């Protein structure tokens, strides 16, 4: 039987476990520019176990909703070839840990962190003009395809300034969101 002490401990432990998985993804994404499926799957299993212990199993539905919404909110960025599939799966994992009530805020903070990191990356490489050109191209291309009734998938390679390990943005966005919630 689960005691009240364990139930009160679980939310903090759940976020601590999420932080551990995010740190592991930052390390692997930085080193190999890849987020291993095994790492994300392990995180999903742990997230569902944690959520299942909360509210007598009622957290399982919340984990599934958060996972689905995290996936759906990042999927268009994958379809536009702005980010990799590992980033989408990682956001789904974050959603499973946090549930639906927090994932929209986390996604917004992550996109903000990603923008700041991209800007810093472009400034470091002295490629700000190319970054602006790429954003303009992707936006105009997407708008014109939507106006024509097509799915806005980027068919042509752009002159990239490099790749950013987006696990950093997801981690910083998640941490920033929870810091913002605590103040």
């Amino acid at each position: 039987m689960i005691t009240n002490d364990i139930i009160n401990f679980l939310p903090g432990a759940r976020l601590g476990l999420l932080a551990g998985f995010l740190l592991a993804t930052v390390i692997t994404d930085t080193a190999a520019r890849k987020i291993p499926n095994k790492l994300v799957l392990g995180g999903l299993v742990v997230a569902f176990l944690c959520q299942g212990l909360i509210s007598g199993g009622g957290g399982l539905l919340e984990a599934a909703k958060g996972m689905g919404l995290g996936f759906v909110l990042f999927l268009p960025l994958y379809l536009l070839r702005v980010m990799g599939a590992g980033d989408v799966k990682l956001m789904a994992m974050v959603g499973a840990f946090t549930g639906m009530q927090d994932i929209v805020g986390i996604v917004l903070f992550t996109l903000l962190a990603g923008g700041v990191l991209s800007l810093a990356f472009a400034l470091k490489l002295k490629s700000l003009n190319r970054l602006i050109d790429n954003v303009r191209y992707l936006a105009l291309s997407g708008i014109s395809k939507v106006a024509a009734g097509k799915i806005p998938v980027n068919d042509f390679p752009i002159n990239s300034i490099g790749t950013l390990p987006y696990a950093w943005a997801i981690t910083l966005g998640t941490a920033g969101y929870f810091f913002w919630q605590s103040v």
Side-chain angles (χ1 to χ4, degrees):
M1 175 134 190
I2 298 175
T3 66
N4 284 339
D5 290 337
I6 293 173
I7 290 172
N8 291 334
F9 173 75
L10 282 175
R14 180 174 42 102
L15 293 180
L17 289 167
L18 171 59
F21 277 101
L22 287 173
L23 179 61
T25 60
V26 163
I27 292 167
T28 59
D29 199 17
T30 301
R33 295 293 199 270
K34 184 168 175 53
I35 299 171
N37 286 334
K38 289 180 182 180
L39 185 57
V40 174
L41 183 59
L44 284 170
V45 168
V46 170
F48 274 88
L49 285 172
C50 288
Q51 292 283 32
L53 293 173
I54 296 172
S55 304
L60 290 175
L61 181 58
E62 191 59 31
K65 288 179 184 178
M67 180 183 74
L69 188 56
F71 181 84
V72 166
L73 289 174
F74 260 36
L75 185 60
L77 298 171
Y78 170 74
L79 294 175
L80 289 170
R81 296 188 176 104
V82 175
M83 68 176 49
D87 302 317
V88 178
K89 292 180 271 187
L90 180 59
M91 187 54 74
M93 184 197 79
V94 171
F97 269 104
T98 63
M100 202 164 116
Q101 73 278 0
D102 291 317
I103 196 64
V104 173
I106 290 169
V107 166
L108 292 174
F109 271 73
T110 294
L111 294 173
L112 178 63
V116 170
L117 288 171
S118 295
L119 184 59
F121 188 62
L123 288 171
K124 180 182 178 211
L125 296 176
K126 297 182 170 113
S127 299
L128 185 59
N129 288 335
R130 193 169 358 146
L131 174 69
I132 292 169
D133 289 342
N134 289 345
V135 170
R136 185 179 316 130
Y137 169 77
L138 288 171
L140 293 176
S141 173
I143 290 168
S144 66
K145 287 182 181 178
V146 168
K150 297 179 181 176
I151 296 175
V153 176
N154 181 19
D155 298 328
F156 303 103
I158 58 174
N159 190 9
S160 177
I161 63 170
T163 59
L164 176 70
Y166 211 74
W168 278 98
I170 294 170
T171 300
L172 292 172
T174 303
Y177 173 79
F178 283 112
F179 177 77
W180 178 70
Q181 288 287 14
S182 71
V183 291

